[in-house]
Each structure stands twice: as structure tokens, then as C-alpha cells.
Amino acid sequence: MSAPARGDAVILDPPGPEPVGLGRFGEYGGRFVPETLIPALEELEAQFRVAWHDDDFRQEYAGLLAHYAGRPTPVTECHRLSERLGLRVLLKREDLTHTGSHKINNVLGQALLTRRMGKHRVIAETGAGQHGVATATAAALFGLDCTVFMGAVDVERQALNVWRMKLLGAEVVPVTSGSATLKDAVNDAMREWVASVQSTHYCLGSVMGPHPFPWMVRELQRVVGDEARRQCRELLDGADPQYVIACVGGGSNAMGTFAGFVDHCPDVQLIGVEAGGLGLETGHHGAAMTRGVPGVVHGMRSLFLQDEDGQVLEATSISAGLDYPGVGPEHADLGARGRARYETATDDEAVAGFQLLAETEGIVPALEPAHAIGWLAREAGRAVPTGSTVLVTLSGRGDKDAAQLMERLGEL
Ligand SMILES: Cc1ncc(COP(=O)(O)O)c(C=O)c1O
């Protein structure tokens, strides 16, 4: 089979493995929610399980990915960046999808499920606004009502995406509680879901939350990794990259990417890059894999930044999409089993990665994947030996971050 290229039909690989029990990944995962939500989660789980094995559903989903979202996305060989770093760097270009990030892959699948369940409204949380924009887009496409919860801090730093969501017909609700960022937006979205579950689907944006979300969102994102594996093999004469790297907020672009390699390519090293914020030593960061401890929050057992009393701490990151004090449970398990490794890049390193990719390749990344680029630039010739072949998922484009970076970098 030749590697997927732009303009080809999207071919979905067979479904991946289902978590055992009630959404368990090792000691993580599960379903910890109020009684009122159990029937909705059970219905979603059953509907997704049937739909995901149903040829008609898969065909419609693949058609939307091709003709609406613009898949397959290319893998780009980065000649100048490779020369600069002494590596062979390939980028999986999710920045080239409609709406500008991987979030659209998940949202189109969940919109199809919303219609299948006979619901007419979607709600969503958003950090960077990319998931909110993707949800508002799918809602417009399917004629669904849409409400997006967004921390007031993020409303401020992602003004362009707030405007886009409103243009698309969504109501945007600024959340002022707590740190007024993604964690608080999830809290309010869950509260609203409890109140409106009969008519409303909660279109969760990452591989987190109660079962079936971590499994379902990973499956809806696995097209990223499955495509990339085949594209890399074509570029690399049948070989796999030695390293596969992606940034980790809740973990959906990383999990979708890893899913294409984790079982198929046991020798490929999987690396997730979290928000190092102002530096791990300052305590102001978003590194739940690196510094988190087990706990139950937002319906799942996973790793969270917490104080000694188990109170969830505020995350800090320059990037709204990584500004979350937890991580999806499958990552917690991959980390515990040593199958994936989790590293951090600080705000400054992410900004350096943002500039480096722009200058060497003419590609302006979103600040989230700029963390992966920043980490790679720091570790080239160190943790990643000179001459290595590396695939990085470029989860989104940087337009949304331009105003924030203009302020930070000033005159260039
Ligand atoms: C471009 C981009 N990348 C990454 C993320 C982080 O989310 P996840 O870890 O679920 O991929 C976001 C979140 O908004 C995003 O917008």
C-alpha cells in the first residue's frame, strides 16, 4: 500500500485495543462521575463501540476527514532544521487541517455520534480555543447548538479564536472561577452537562475525563499516527523513525500519534513534551507526567499537580493548550510502564522553538507543538543523538498565538 498523500481517500486502519474494565489503563482511567451522568456515558460508550466497527459510520467519518478537514495531512522533511540540529527531522502536519489543528479529527467523529444519539446540542471546554473553534465548526456543519466554556484568562490571550467561535454561531462562556483557565472550563462544562444531559453531548477535547472519552478520543485521533507511520516508511525506505515526539496537554495529539507506533513499532521511542512553564524548580509549570501524583479529578484517575492535601494546583504555561494540571490516563500508564518518556520544555524554550521553525522552514507552529520543537533543539546531540531520525507532530498552526508573541518578542 502506498503512503497516504493529499487528495487521496482517507483510509482508516482497524480499530485499536479497547481499555479493559471500565476504561482502565493499568491503574489509571475509570469513570468517576455523579450518578446523573452514568446513563449518558454508558450510551456514549455503547454507541461509539458499535459505530467504530460499522462500515457506514467509518466511511462517513473518513469522507469528512478527507473532503472537509483536508486529510491526509503530509509529512514534511525539514532540510534546513535538520542541518541546524544534526538530525533528520520530519513533521506530521496537523497544522494544515481545516481550523488549523488536530482537534478537528476528534470533533467530526463526536459530531457524527451526537447526531446518532439524537441530541441537538454540544458543549465543550477549550484552552487555546482550537478545540472550541473545531467544535463550533462541526456544530455549524451539522446544525447543532453549541456552547463553549473557556477560562477568562484564555479568553484574553486567545481573542482571535473567541471571535472565530462567535462567528461560527457558538456561545462562548468565560469562566472566572479558580485560575480561570482550562481546568476551570472543564469543571463548568461538566456542571452544565449534568444539568442538560438529555439534549446535550459533551464534546470533550482530549484523551481525558471519564470512560469512554480517553479511549474514544484516542481512536478518533489515531489517524494521525497511522498515516504518519506509513508516510515515514515511504520516506525512510521502509524504516521507522527512531524517535516520535509530540507535545502533551491533555494528551490527544500525542496519544493519536503514539497509537500509530506503540504496538506496530516496539523499537520506536515515544516522547511526550509537557509545559515546563517558568521552570520545574519554580513550581510554575504544567508538567503533570513529570511532577504529578495520582488522584481522581474530572472523572478519571490519573496524574495531577497537587499539594500535600490533595488540592489540585494551578498549572502555568505560556501556551493555553498545555495549561492543564492533569494528563490523560493512557499517558500515565505508558509512562508507568516505561513505553513512553515524558520531558518538559520551558516557556522560553517553546518561544525559541517557535522562532526556530519559522526561520528555518517557513512554518509558524502553534505554541503547544513549539514545546516539542524547543525540547528537540535543546536535546539534539544530547538525549537525541546526532544523526537520529525524528518525527514530530506539529499539532497546530501559530496564527492564534501571533498577537501574544508579538507582545513578548516586540520588534523583530
Ligand atoms: C495546537 C494544539 N496542540 C496541542 C494542544 C494540547 O492538547 P492535546 O494534548 O490534547 O493534544 C492544543 C490544545 O488546545 C492545541 O491547540
Side-chain angles (χ1 to χ4, degrees), residues 101-103 127-131 205-207 247-254 321-322 366 368-369 395-396 400:
S101 86
H102 66 297
K103 298 286 181 188
Q130 288 301 102
H131 175 59
S206 195
V207 284
C247 67
V248 176
S252 67
N253 86 89
L322 304 188
E368 291 81 11
S395 54
K400 69 181 178 59

Side-chain angles (χ1 to χ4, degrees), residues 261-314:
F261 294 88
V262 67
D263 296 324
H264 288 85
C265 316
D267 294 335
V268 170
Q269 297 201 39
L270 307 174
I271 300 176
V273 181
E274 302 190 283
L278 304 179
L280 290 183
E281 68 291 349
T282 67
H284 298 292
H285 54 77
M289 284 298 302
T290 311
R291 287 292 165 95
V293 288
V296 174
V297 181
H298 292 155
M300 60 179 168
R301 178 175 159 80
S302 193
L303 294 172
F304 297 90
L305 302 176
Q306 297 170 69
D307 66 17
E308 309 83 80
D309 301 322
Q311 294 293 328
V312 177
L313 297 168
E314 291 180 12

Side-chain angles (χ1 to χ4, degrees), residues 136-178:
T137 298
L141 180 69
F142 282 76
L144 303 167
D145 297 331
C146 178
T147 304
V148 179
F149 293 86
M150 188 169 189
V153 168
D154 296 335
V155 168
E156 188 100 352
R157 60 182 163 177
Q158 300 288 343
L160 175 63
N161 273 344
V162 174
W163 192 85
R164 284 167 82 193
M165 285 184 266
K166 290 182 178 169
L167 178 71
L168 293 160
E171 178 195 11
V172 179
V173 180
V175 176
T176 51
S177 56

Side-chain angles (χ1 to χ4, degrees), residues 65-362:
L65 290 178
H67 305 301
Y68 190 71
R71 302 201 74 83
T73 58
V75 164
T76 299
E77 172 119 36
C78 296
H79 296 286
R80 296 191 64 231
L81 179 65
S82 297
E83 199 179 311
R84 182 81 73 91
L85 300 183
L87 305 169
R88 185 168 183 186
V89 184
L90 309 173
L91 292 183
K92 179 61 173 162
R93 301 292 306 279
E94 294 304 295
D95 59 313
L96 294 179
T97 55
H98 178 47
T99 72
S101 86
H102 66 297
K103 298 286 181 188
I104 194 77
N105 306 323
N106 168 39
V107 153
L108 289 173
Q110 291 202 44
L112 284 173
L113 284 169
T114 305
R115 196 183 62 191
R116 210 175 155 101
M117 292 184 291
K119 296 187 172 180
H120 63 78
R121 177 174 177 248
V122 284
I123 57 172
E125 83 296 336
T126 197
Q130 288 301 102
H131 175 59
V133 167
T135 306
T137 298
L141 180 69
F142 282 76
L144 303 167
D145 297 331
C146 178
T147 304
V148 179
F149 293 86
M150 188 169 189
V153 168
D154 296 335
V155 168
E156 188 100 352
R157 60 182 163 177
Q158 300 288 343
L160 175 63
N161 273 344
V162 174
W163 192 85
R164 284 167 82 193
M165 285 184 266
K166 290 182 178 169
L167 178 71
L168 293 160
E171 178 195 11
V172 179
V173 180
V175 176
T176 51
S177 56
S179 54
T181 58
L182 184 54
K183 154 178 79 68
D184 313 289
V186 177
N187 285 340
D188 277 25
M190 286 208 161
R191 249 193 297 274
E192 168 60 23
W193 199 30
V194 171
S196 62
V197 66
Q198 296 300 333
S199 63
T200 300
H201 171 61
Y202 180 10
C203 184
L204 224 159
S206 195
V207 284
M208 46 168 282
H211 182 56
F213 285 108
W215 161 54
M216 181 176 74
V217 177
R218 178 251 276 158
E219 287 298 287
L220 294 173
Q221 291 289 3
R222 68 174 305 124
V223 65
V224 177
D226 285 332
E227 276 179 14
R229 183 186 66 252
R230 297 205 300 273
Q231 291 165 318
C232 285
R233 284 182 181 170
E234 182 152 297
L235 276 165
L236 305 173
D237 295 327
D240 296 315
Q242 286 148 300
Y243 296 87
V244 168
I245 304 178
C247 67
V248 176
S252 67
N253 86 89
M255 211 50 245
T257 306
F258 292 177
F261 294 88
V262 67
D263 296 324
H264 288 85
C265 316
D267 294 335
V268 170
Q269 297 201 39
L270 307 174
I271 300 176
V273 181
E274 302 190 283
L278 304 179
L280 290 183
E281 68 291 349
T282 67
H284 298 292
H285 54 77
M289 284 298 302
T290 311
R291 287 292 165 95
V293 288
V296 174
V297 181
H298 292 155
M300 60 179 168
R301 178 175 159 80
S302 193
L303 294 172
F304 297 90
L305 302 176
Q306 297 170 69
D307 66 17
E308 309 83 80
D309 301 322
Q311 294 293 328
V312 177
L313 297 168
E314 291 180 12
T316 304
S317 172
I318 189 174
S319 109
L322 304 188
D323 206 347
Y324 180 66
V327 66
E330 194 166 7
H331 284 293
D333 181 51
L334 286 177
R337 290 194 284 119
R339 178 62 187 94
R341 206 166 94 210
Y342 295 84
E343 305 283 348
T344 59
T346 62
D347 289 356
D348 286 346
E349 287 164 343
V351 171
F354 183 89
Q355 291 181 283
L356 177 65
L357 194 62
E359 286 165 11
T360 54
E361 296 294 333

